[in-house]
Coordinates of all heavy atoms in Angstrom, one line a residue:
R752 N 9.9 3.3 -7.6 CA 11.3 2.8 -7.7 C 11.6 2.2 -6.3 O 11.1 2.6 -5.3 CB 12.2 4.0 -7.9 CG 11.9 4.6 -9.2 CD 12.9 5.7 -9.4 NE 12.6 6.3 -10.7 CZ 13.4 7.0 -11.4 NH1 14.5 7.5 -10.8 NH2 13.1 7.4 -12.5
S753 N 12.5 1.3 -6.4 CA 12.9 0.6 -5.2 C 14.2 0.0 -5.3 O 14.6 -0.5 -6.4 CB 11.9 -0.5 -4.8 OG 12.4 -1.2 -3.7
G754 N 15.0 -0.1 -4.2 CA 16.2 -0.8 -4.2 C 16.0 -2.2 -3.8 O 17.0 -3.0 -3.7
L755 N 14.8 -2.6 -3.5 CA 14.5 -3.9 -3.0 C 14.1 -4.8 -4.1 O 13.2 -4.5 -4.9 CB 13.4 -3.8 -2.0 CG 13.0 -5.1 -1.2 CD1 14.2 -5.5 -0.3 CD2 11.8 -4.8 -0.3
E756 N 14.7 -6.0 -4.2 CA 14.4 -6.9 -5.3 C 13.0 -7.6 -5.0 O 12.6 -7.8 -3.9 CB 15.5 -8.0 -5.4 CG 16.8 -7.5 -5.8 CD 16.9 -7.1 -7.2 OE1 16.3 -7.8 -8.0 OE2 17.6 -6.2 -7.6
G757 N 12.4 -8.0 -6.1 CA 11.2 -8.9 -6.0 C 9.9 -8.1 -5.8 O 8.9 -8.8 -5.5
L758 N 9.9 -6.8 -5.9 CA 8.6 -6.1 -5.8 C 7.8 -6.1 -7.1 O 8.4 -6.1 -8.1 CB 8.9 -4.6 -5.3 CG 9.5 -4.4 -4.0 CD1 9.7 -2.9 -3.7 CD2 8.7 -5.1 -2.9
Q759 N 6.5 -6.2 -6.9 CA 5.6 -6.2 -8.1 C 4.5 -5.2 -7.8 O 4.1 -5.0 -6.6 CB 5.0 -7.6 -8.3 CG 6.0 -8.6 -8.6 CD 5.4 -10.0 -8.9 OE1 4.4 -10.3 -8.2 NE2 5.9 -10.8 -9.8
V760 N 3.9 -4.7 -8.8 CA 2.7 -3.9 -8.7 C 1.5 -4.7 -9.2 O 1.6 -5.3 -10.2 CB 2.8 -2.5 -9.5 CG1 1.6 -1.7 -9.4 CG2 4.0 -1.7 -9.0
R761 N 0.5 -4.7 -8.4 CA -0.7 -5.4 -8.8 C -1.9 -4.8 -8.2 O -1.8 -3.8 -7.4 CB -0.6 -6.9 -8.3 CG -0.7 -7.1 -6.9 CD -0.9 -8.6 -6.6 NE -0.9 -9.1 -5.3 CZ -2.0 -9.0 -4.5 NH1 -3.2 -8.5 -4.9 NH2 -1.9 -9.4 -3.2
C762 N -3.1 -5.2 -8.6 CA -4.4 -4.7 -8.1 C -4.8 -5.4 -6.8 O -4.4 -6.5 -6.5 CB -5.4 -4.8 -9.2 SG -5.1 -3.7 -10.5
F763 N -5.8 -4.8 -6.1 CA -6.4 -5.4 -4.9 C -7.1 -6.7 -5.2 O -7.7 -6.8 -6.2 CB -7.4 -4.3 -4.4 CG -8.3 -4.8 -3.4 CD1 -7.9 -5.0 -2.1 CD2 -9.6 -5.0 -3.6 CE1 -8.7 -5.4 -1.1 CE2 -10.5 -5.4 -2.6 CZ -10.0 -5.7 -1.4
K764 N -6.9 -7.6 -4.3 CA -7.7 -8.8 -4.3 C -8.4 -9.0 -2.9 O -7.8 -8.6 -1.9 CB -6.8 -10.1 -4.4 CG -6.1 -10.1 -5.8 CD -5.2 -11.3 -5.8 CE -4.3 -11.3 -7.1 NZ -3.3 -12.4 -7.0
P765 N -9.6 -9.4 -2.8 CA -10.3 -9.6 -1.5 C -9.5 -10.4 -0.6 O -8.9 -11.4 -1.0 CB -11.6 -10.3 -1.9 CG -11.9 -9.9 -3.3 CD -10.5 -9.8 -3.9
G766 N -9.4 -10.0 0.7 CA -8.6 -10.7 1.7 C -7.1 -10.2 1.8 O -6.4 -10.7 2.7
D767 N -6.7 -9.4 0.9 CA -5.3 -8.8 1.0 C -5.1 -8.1 2.4 O -6.0 -7.5 2.9 CB -5.0 -7.8 -0.1 CG -4.7 -8.4 -1.4 OD1 -4.3 -9.6 -1.5 OD2 -4.7 -7.7 -2.4
R768 N -3.9 -8.4 2.9 CA -3.5 -7.7 4.2 C -2.2 -7.1 4.0 O -1.3 -7.5 3.3 CB -3.5 -8.7 5.3 CG -4.8 -9.3 5.7 CD -4.7 -10.3 6.8 NE -6.0 -11.0 7.1 CZ -6.9 -10.5 7.9 NH1 -6.7 -9.4 8.5 NH2 -8.0 -11.2 8.0
L769 N -2.0 -6.0 4.8 CA -0.7 -5.3 4.8 C 0.3 -6.2 5.5 O 0.0 -6.7 6.6 CB -0.9 -4.0 5.5 CG 0.3 -2.9 5.3 CD1 0.4 -2.6 3.9 CD2 0.0 -1.7 6.2
A770 N 1.5 -6.3 5.0 CA 2.6 -7.2 5.5 C 2.8 -6.8 7.0 O 2.9 -5.7 7.4 CB 3.8 -7.0 4.7
G771 N 2.9 -7.9 7.8 CA 3.2 -7.7 9.2 C 2.1 -7.2 10.1 O 2.3 -6.9 11.2
R772 N 0.9 -7.0 9.5 CA -0.2 -6.5 10.2 C -1.5 -7.4 10.0 O -1.5 -8.1 9.0 CB -0.5 -5.0 9.8 CG 0.6 -4.1 9.9 CD 0.9 -3.8 11.4 NE 1.9 -2.8 11.5 CZ 2.3 -2.3 12.6 NH1 1.8 -2.6 13.7 NH2 3.3 -1.4 12.6
K773 N -2.4 -7.2 10.9 CA -3.7 -7.9 10.7 C -4.7 -7.0 9.8 O -5.7 -7.6 9.4 CB -4.3 -8.2 12.0 CG -3.6 -9.2 12.9 CD -4.3 -9.4 14.2 CE -3.5 -10.4 15.0 NZ -4.1 -10.6 16.3
K774 N -4.3 -5.8 9.6 CA -5.3 -4.9 9.0 C -5.4 -5.3 7.5 O -4.4 -5.4 6.8 CB -4.7 -3.4 9.1 CG -5.8 -2.4 8.6 CD -5.4 -1.1 9.1 CE -6.6 -0.2 9.0 NZ -6.5 1.1 9.7
K775 N -6.6 -5.4 7.1 CA -6.9 -5.7 5.7 C -6.8 -4.4 4.8 O -7.1 -3.3 5.2 CB -8.3 -6.3 5.5 CG -8.5 -7.6 6.1 CD -9.9 -8.2 5.8 CE -10.1 -9.5 6.4 NZ -11.4 -10.0 6.2
I776 N -6.4 -4.7 3.5 CA -6.3 -3.6 2.6 C -7.7 -2.9 2.4 O -7.7 -1.7 2.3 CB -5.7 -4.1 1.3 CG1 -4.3 -4.6 1.5 CG2 -5.7 -2.9 0.2 CD1 -3.3 -3.7 2.1
Q777 N -8.7 -3.7 2.4 CA -10.1 -3.2 2.4 C -10.3 -2.1 3.4 O -10.8 -1.0 3.2 CB -11.1 -4.3 2.5 CG -12.5 -3.8 2.7 CD -13.1 -3.2 1.4 OE1 -12.7 -3.5 0.3 NE2 -14.0 -2.2 1.6
D778 N -9.8 -2.3 4.7 CA -10.0 -1.4 5.7 C -9.1 -0.1 5.5 O -9.4 1.0 5.9 CB -9.6 -2.0 7.1 CG -10.6 -3.1 7.4 OD1 -11.8 -3.1 7.0 OD2 -10.3 -4.1 8.2
V779 N -7.9 -0.3 4.9 CA -7.0 0.8 4.6 C -7.7 1.7 3.6 O -7.7 2.9 3.8 CB -5.7 0.3 4.0 CG1 -4.8 1.4 3.5 CG2 -4.9 -0.5 5.1
F780 N -8.4 1.1 2.6 CA -9.1 1.9 1.7 C -10.2 2.7 2.3 O -10.5 3.9 2.1 CB -9.7 1.1 0.5 CG -8.7 0.6 -0.5 CD1 -8.8 -0.7 -1.0 CD2 -7.6 1.4 -0.9 CE1 -7.9 -1.1 -2.0 CE2 -6.7 1.0 -1.9 CZ -6.9 -0.3 -2.4
V781 N -11.0 2.0 3.2 CA -12.1 2.7 3.9 C -11.6 3.8 4.7 O -12.1 4.9 4.7 CB -12.9 1.7 4.7 CG1 -13.9 2.4 5.6 CG2 -13.6 0.7 3.8
D782 N -10.6 3.6 5.5 CA -10.0 4.6 6.4 C -9.5 5.8 5.6 O -9.6 7.0 6.0 CB -8.8 4.1 7.2 CG -9.3 3.1 8.3 OD1 -10.5 2.9 8.5 OD2 -8.4 2.4 8.8
A783 N -9.0 5.6 4.4 CA -8.4 6.6 3.5 C -9.5 7.3 2.7 O -9.3 8.2 1.9 CB -7.3 6.1 2.6
K784 N -10.8 6.8 2.8 CA -11.9 7.3 2.1 C -11.7 7.1 0.5 O -12.1 8.0 -0.2 CB -12.2 8.7 2.4 CG -12.6 8.8 3.9 CD -12.9 10.3 4.3 CE -13.5 10.5 5.6 NZ -12.9 9.9 6.8
I785 N -11.2 6.0 0.1 CA -11.0 5.7 -1.3 C -12.3 5.2 -1.8 O -12.8 4.2 -1.3 CB -9.9 4.7 -1.6 CG1 -8.6 5.2 -1.0 CG2 -9.8 4.4 -3.0 CD1 -8.0 6.5 -1.5
P786 N -13.0 5.8 -2.8 CA -14.3 5.3 -3.3 C -14.1 3.9 -3.8 O -13.1 3.4 -4.4 CB -14.6 6.2 -4.5 CG -13.7 7.4 -4.3 CD -12.5 7.0 -3.5
R787 N -15.2 3.1 -3.6 CA -15.2 1.7 -4.1 C -14.9 1.6 -5.6 O -14.2 0.6 -6.0 CB -16.6 1.1 -3.9 CG -16.9 0.8 -2.5 CD -18.3 0.1 -2.4 NE -18.7 0.1 -0.9 CZ -19.4 -0.8 -0.5 NH1 -19.9 -1.8 -1.2 NH2 -19.7 -0.8 0.8
S788 N -15.3 2.6 -6.4 CA -15.1 2.5 -7.8 C -13.6 2.6 -8.1 O -13.2 2.2 -9.2 CB -15.8 3.7 -8.5 OG -15.3 4.9 -8.0
Q789 N -12.7 3.1 -7.2 CA -11.3 3.2 -7.5 C -10.5 2.0 -6.8 O -9.3 1.8 -7.2 CB -10.8 4.5 -6.9 CG -11.3 5.7 -7.7 CD -10.8 7.0 -7.1 OE1 -9.8 7.0 -6.4 NE2 -11.4 8.1 -7.5
R790 N -11.1 1.3 -5.9 CA -10.3 0.3 -5.2 C -9.8 -0.9 -6.0 O -8.7 -1.3 -5.8 CB -11.1 -0.3 -4.0 CG -11.5 0.8 -3.0 CD -12.4 0.2 -2.0 NE -12.9 1.4 -1.2 CZ -13.9 1.3 -0.3 NH1 -14.4 0.1 0.0 NH2 -14.3 2.3 0.4
Q791 N -10.5 -1.3 -7.0 CA -10.1 -2.5 -7.8 C -8.9 -2.1 -8.8 O -8.2 -3.0 -9.2 CB -11.2 -3.0 -8.7 CG -12.3 -3.7 -7.8 CD -11.7 -4.9 -7.1 OE1 -10.9 -5.6 -7.6 NE2 -12.2 -5.1 -5.9
T792 N -8.7 -0.8 -9.1 CA -7.7 -0.4 -9.9 C -6.5 0.4 -9.2 O -5.5 0.7 -9.8 CB -8.2 0.6 -11.0 OG1 -8.8 1.7 -10.4 CG2 -9.2 -0.2 -11.9
W793 N -6.6 0.5 -7.9 CA -5.6 1.2 -7.1 C -4.4 0.3 -7.1 O -4.5 -0.9 -6.7 CB -6.1 1.5 -5.7 CG -5.3 2.5 -5.0 CD1 -4.1 2.3 -4.3 CD2 -5.6 3.8 -4.8 NE1 -3.6 3.4 -3.8 CE2 -4.5 4.4 -4.1 CE3 -6.6 4.6 -5.3 CZ2 -4.5 5.8 -3.7 CZ3 -6.6 6.0 -4.9 CH2 -5.6 6.5 -4.2
P794 N -3.2 0.8 -7.5 CA -2.0 -0.1 -7.5 C -1.6 -0.5 -6.0 O -1.6 0.4 -5.1 CB -1.0 0.7 -8.1 CG -1.4 2.2 -7.9 CD -2.9 2.1 -7.8
L795 N -1.1 -1.7 -5.9 CA -0.6 -2.2 -4.6 C 0.8 -2.6 -4.9 O 1.1 -3.2 -6.0 CB -1.4 -3.3 -4.0 CG -2.9 -3.0 -3.7 CD1 -3.5 -4.3 -3.2 CD2 -3.1 -1.9 -2.8
V796 N 1.8 -2.5 -4.0 CA 3.1 -3.0 -4.1 C 3.2 -4.3 -3.3 O 2.9 -4.3 -2.1 CB 4.2 -2.0 -3.7 CG1 5.6 -2.6 -3.9 CG2 4.0 -0.7 -4.5
A797 N 3.6 -5.3 -4.0 CA 3.6 -6.7 -3.3 C 5.0 -7.2 -3.4 O 5.7 -7.0 -4.4 CB 2.6 -7.6 -3.9
K798 N 5.4 -8.0 -2.4 CA 6.6 -8.8 -2.4 C 6.1 -10.2 -2.1 O 5.8 -10.5 -1.0 CB 7.6 -8.3 -1.4 CG 8.9 -9.1 -1.5 CD 10.0 -8.5 -0.6 CE 11.2 -9.3 -1.1 NZ 12.2 -9.5 -0.1
G799 N 6.1 -11.0 -3.1 CA 5.5 -12.3 -3.0 C 4.0 -12.2 -2.7 O 3.3 -11.4 -3.4
A800 N 3.5 -12.8 -1.7 CA 2.1 -12.7 -1.4 C 1.8 -11.6 -0.4 O 0.6 -11.3 -0.2 CB 1.6 -14.1 -0.8
E801 N 2.8 -10.9 0.1 CA 2.6 -9.8 1.0 C 2.4 -8.5 0.3 O 3.2 -8.1 -0.6 CB 3.7 -9.7 2.0 CG 3.9 -10.9 2.9 CD 5.0 -10.6 3.9 OE1 6.1 -10.2 3.6 OE2 4.7 -10.8 5.1
I802 N 1.5 -7.7 0.8 CA 1.3 -6.3 0.3 C 2.2 -5.4 1.2 O 2.1 -5.4 2.4 CB -0.1 -5.8 0.4 CG1 -1.1 -6.7 -0.4 CG2 -0.2 -4.4 0.0 CD1 -0.8 -6.8 -1.8
V803 N 3.2 -4.7 0.6 CA 4.1 -4.0 1.4 C 3.8 -2.4 1.3 O 4.3 -1.7 2.1 CB 5.6 -4.2 1.0 CG1 6.0 -5.7 1.2 CG2 5.9 -3.9 -0.5
A804 N 3.0 -2.0 0.4 CA 2.6 -0.6 0.3 C 1.3 -0.5 -0.5 O 1.1 -1.2 -1.5 CB 3.7 0.2 -0.4
V805 N 0.6 0.6 -0.1 CA -0.6 1.1 -0.9 C -0.1 2.5 -1.2 O -0.2 3.4 -0.3 CB -1.9 1.0 0.0 CG1 -3.0 1.5 -0.9 CG2 -2.1 -0.4 0.5
P806 N 0.4 2.7 -2.4 CA 1.0 4.0 -2.7 C 0.1 5.2 -2.4 O -1.1 5.1 -2.8 CB 1.3 3.9 -4.2 CG 1.5 2.4 -4.4 CD 0.5 1.8 -3.5
G807 N 0.7 6.2 -1.8 CA -0.1 7.4 -1.5 C -0.9 7.3 -0.2 O -1.4 8.2 0.3
I808 N -0.9 6.1 0.4 CA -1.7 5.9 1.6 C -0.8 5.3 2.8 O -0.7 6.0 3.8 CB -2.9 4.9 1.4 CG1 -3.8 5.5 0.3 CG2 -3.7 4.7 2.6 CD1 -4.9 4.6 -0.2
V809 N -0.2 4.2 2.6 CA 0.5 3.5 3.7 C 1.5 2.6 3.2 O 1.4 2.0 2.1 CB -0.5 2.8 4.7 CG1 -1.1 1.6 4.0 CG2 0.1 2.4 6.0
T810 N 2.6 2.4 4.0 CA 3.7 1.5 3.7 C 3.8 0.6 5.0 O 3.7 1.0 6.1 CB 5.0 2.2 3.5 OG1 4.9 3.1 2.4 CG2 6.1 1.2 3.1
A811 N 4.0 -0.7 4.7 CA 4.2 -1.7 5.8 C 5.5 -1.4 6.6 O 6.4 -0.9 6.0 CB 4.2 -3.1 5.3
P812 N 5.5 -1.6 7.9 CA 6.7 -1.4 8.7 C 7.8 -2.2 8.1 O 7.7 -3.3 7.7 CB 6.3 -1.9 10.1 CG 4.8 -1.9 10.1 CD 4.4 -2.1 8.7
G813 N 9.0 -1.5 8.1 CA 10.2 -2.1 7.5 C 10.4 -1.9 6.1 O 11.4 -2.2 5.5
Y814 N 9.4 -1.3 5.4 CA 9.5 -1.1 3.9 C 9.5 0.4 3.6 O 9.5 0.8 2.4 CB 8.4 -1.8 3.2 CG 8.5 -3.3 3.2 CD1 7.9 -4.0 4.2 CD2 9.3 -4.0 2.2 CE1 8.0 -5.4 4.2 CE2 9.4 -5.3 2.3 CZ 8.8 -6.1 3.2 OH 8.9 -7.4 3.3
E815 N 9.5 1.3 4.6 CA 9.3 2.7 4.4 C 10.3 3.3 3.4 O 10.0 4.1 2.6 CB 9.4 3.5 5.7 CG 8.3 3.2 6.7 CD 8.6 2.0 7.6 OE1 9.6 1.3 7.4 OE2 7.8 1.8 8.5
N816 N 11.6 2.9 3.5 CA 12.6 3.4 2.7 C 12.9 2.6 1.4 O 13.6 3.0 0.5 CB 14.0 3.5 3.5 CG 13.9 4.5 4.6 OD1 13.3 5.5 4.5 ND2 14.5 4.1 5.7
A817 N 12.2 1.5 1.3 CA 12.4 0.6 0.1 C 11.4 0.9 -1.0 O 11.7 0.6 -2.1 CB 12.2 -0.8 0.5
V818 N 10.3 1.5 -0.7 CA 9.2 1.8 -1.7 C 9.0 3.2 -1.8 O 8.7 3.9 -0.9 CB 7.9 1.1 -1.2 CG1 6.8 1.4 -2.3 CG2 8.1 -0.4 -1.0
R819 N 9.2 3.7 -3.1 CA 9.0 5.1 -3.4 C 8.3 5.2 -4.7 O 8.9 4.8 -5.7 CB 10.3 5.9 -3.5 CG 11.0 5.9 -2.1 CD 12.2 6.8 -2.2 NE 12.9 6.6 -0.9 CZ 13.7 7.4 -0.4 NH1 14.0 8.5 -1.0 NH2 14.2 7.2 0.8
A820 N 7.1 5.7 -4.7 CA 6.3 5.8 -5.9 C 6.5 7.1 -6.5 O 6.0 8.1 -6.1 CB 4.8 5.5 -5.6
T821 N 7.4 7.2 -7.5 CA 7.6 8.5 -8.2 C 7.7 8.2 -9.7 O 8.0 7.2 -10.2 CB 8.9 9.1 -7.7 OG1 10.0 8.2 -8.1 CG2 8.9 9.4 -6.3
R822 N 7.4 9.3 -10.4 CA 7.6 9.3 -11.8 C 8.5 10.4 -12.2 O 8.5 11.5 -11.5 CB 6.3 9.5 -12.6 CG 5.4 8.3 -12.5 CD 4.1 8.5 -13.2 NE 4.3 9.1 -14.5 CZ 3.3 9.5 -15.3 NH1 2.0 9.2 -15.0 NH2 3.5 10.0 -16.5
E823 N 9.4 10.2 -13.1 CA 10.4 11.2 -13.4 C 9.8 12.6 -13.8 O 10.4 13.6 -13.6 CB 11.4 10.7 -14.4 CG 12.2 9.6 -13.9 CD 13.2 9.0 -14.9 OE1 13.4 9.7 -16.0 OE2 13.6 7.9 -14.7
D824 N 8.6 12.5 -14.5 CA 8.0 13.7 -15.0 C 7.1 14.4 -14.0 O 6.4 15.3 -14.4 CB 7.3 13.4 -16.3 CG 6.2 12.4 -16.2 OD1 6.2 11.6 -15.2 OD2 5.4 12.2 -17.1
E825 N 6.9 13.8 -12.8 CA 6.0 14.4 -11.9 C 6.8 14.6 -10.5 O 7.7 14.0 -10.2 CB 4.9 13.5 -11.6 CG 3.9 13.3 -12.7 CD 2.8 12.4 -12.4 OE1 2.7 11.9 -11.2 OE2 2.0 12.1 -13.3
A826 N 6.2 15.5 -9.7 CA 6.7 15.7 -8.4 C 6.4 14.5 -7.6 O 5.4 13.8 -7.8 CB 6.1 16.9 -7.7
A827 N 7.2 14.2 -6.6 CA 7.0 13.0 -5.8 C 5.7 13.2 -5.0 O 5.4 14.3 -4.5 CB 8.2 12.8 -4.8
P828 N 5.0 12.1 -4.7 CA 3.8 12.2 -3.9 C 4.2 12.4 -2.5 O 5.3 12.2 -2.1 CB 3.1 10.8 -4.1 CG 4.3 9.9 -4.4 CD 5.2 10.7 -5.2
P829 N 3.2 12.8 -1.6 CA 3.5 13.0 -0.2 C 4.0 11.7 0.4 O 3.6 10.6 -0.1 CB 2.2 13.4 0.4 CG 1.2 13.0 -0.6 CD 1.8 13.0 -1.9
P830 N 4.8 11.7 1.4 CA 5.3 10.5 2.1 C 4.2 9.7 2.6 O 3.2 10.2 3.1 CB 6.2 11.0 3.2 CG 6.1 12.5 3.2 CD 5.3 12.9 2.1
M831 N 4.4 8.3 2.5 CA 3.3 7.4 3.0 C 3.6 7.2 4.5 O 4.7 7.1 4.9 CB 3.4 6.1 2.3 CG 3.1 6.2 0.8 SD 3.1 4.7 -0.1 CE 4.8 4.7 -0.6
K832 N 2.5 7.1 5.3 CA 2.7 6.9 6.7 C 2.7 5.4 7.0 O 2.3 4.6 6.3 CB 1.5 7.5 7.4 CG 0.2 6.9 7.2 CD -0.9 7.4 8.1 CE -2.1 6.6 7.9 NZ -3.1 6.8 8.9
S833 N 3.3 5.1 8.1 CA 3.3 3.7 8.6 C 2.2 3.6 9.6 O 1.8 4.6 10.3 CB 4.7 3.5 9.4 OG 5.7 3.4 8.5
L834 N 1.7 2.4 9.7 CA 0.6 2.2 10.7 C 1.2 2.2 12.1 O 2.3 1.7 12.3 CB -0.1 0.8 10.4 CG -0.9 0.7 9.1 CD1 -1.4 -0.6 8.9 CD2 -2.0 1.7 9.1
E835 N 0.4 2.7 13.0 CA 0.8 2.8 14.4 C 0.6 1.4 15.0 O -0.1 0.5 14.5 CB 0.0 3.8 15.1 CG 0.2 5.2 14.6 CD 1.6 5.7 14.7 OE1 2.3 5.4 15.7 OE2 2.1 6.4 13.8
Q836 N 1.2 1.1 16.2 CA 1.0 -0.1 16.8 C -0.4 -0.5 17.0 O -0.8 -1.7 17.0 CB 1.7 -0.1 18.2 CG 3.2 0.0 18.1 CD 3.8 -1.3 17.6 OE1 3.9 -1.5 16.4 NE2 4.1 -2.2 18.5
G837 N -1.4 0.4 17.3 CA -2.7 0.1 17.5 C -3.5 -0.4 16.3 O -4.6 -0.9 16.4
D838 N -2.9 -0.3 15.1 CA -3.5 -0.7 13.9 C -3.2 -2.2 13.5 O -3.4 -2.6 12.4 CB -3.1 0.2 12.7 CG -3.7 1.6 12.9 OD1 -4.8 1.7 13.5 OD2 -3.2 2.5 12.3
R839 N -2.6 -2.9 14.4 CA -2.2 -4.3 14.0 C -3.4 -5.2 13.8 O -4.4 -5.2 14.4 CB -1.3 -4.9 15.2 CG 0.0 -4.3 15.1 CD 0.9 -4.9 16.1 NE 2.2 -4.4 15.9 CZ 3.3 -5.0 15.9 NH1 3.3 -6.3 16.2 NH2 4.4 -4.5 15.7

């Protein structure tokens, strides 16, 4: 759910990067130890061409309060962390 207009959910594409950062989504998956078999189907939240969140893993700076991955019939997932300055 989000109060921000224009968000879409889509799958990973090679070369995707987290909005406002140089870090590739591929590297986010590796750091989070997401198996290769799950990466192509892991949902990403995009606004236009920018990836603003990898649910359950990380949210791009400035979008922390705009993106919340919840389902009404489940407990909310743990909060997503923002990348530190060193991860640019």
Side-chain angles (χ1 to χ4, degrees):
R752 296 181 179 195
S753 175
L755 188 63
E756 294 287 325
L758 295 181
Q759 297 179 326
V760 176
R761 69 169 177 84
C762 294
F763 167 74
K764 295 177 187 173
D767 279 342
R768 293 181 186 272
L769 196 60
R772 304 290 184 172
K773 293 181 181 178
K774 191 163 195 168
K775 290 184 179 180
I776 299 301
Q777 171 68 29
D778 296 333
V779 170
F780 285 145
V781 170
D782 292 348
K784 297 180 173 46
I785 303 300
R787 285 182 192 210
S788 61
Q789 294 180 13
R790 295 175 192 171
Q791 291 297 322
T792 59
W793 198 277
L795 303 178
V796 180
K798 183 169 191 216
E801 294 187 310
I802 303 300
V803 298
V805 182
I808 301 174
V809 67
T810 302
Y814 291 92
E815 295 89 351
N816 295 322
V818 179
R819 294 184 189 204
T821 62
R822 287 181 44 183
E823 293 178 17
D824 59 341
E825 293 182 3
M831 295 180 270
K832 68 174 187 167
S833 290
L834 292 177
E835 299 299 322
Q836 289 292 89
D838 290 337
R839 285 183 175 222

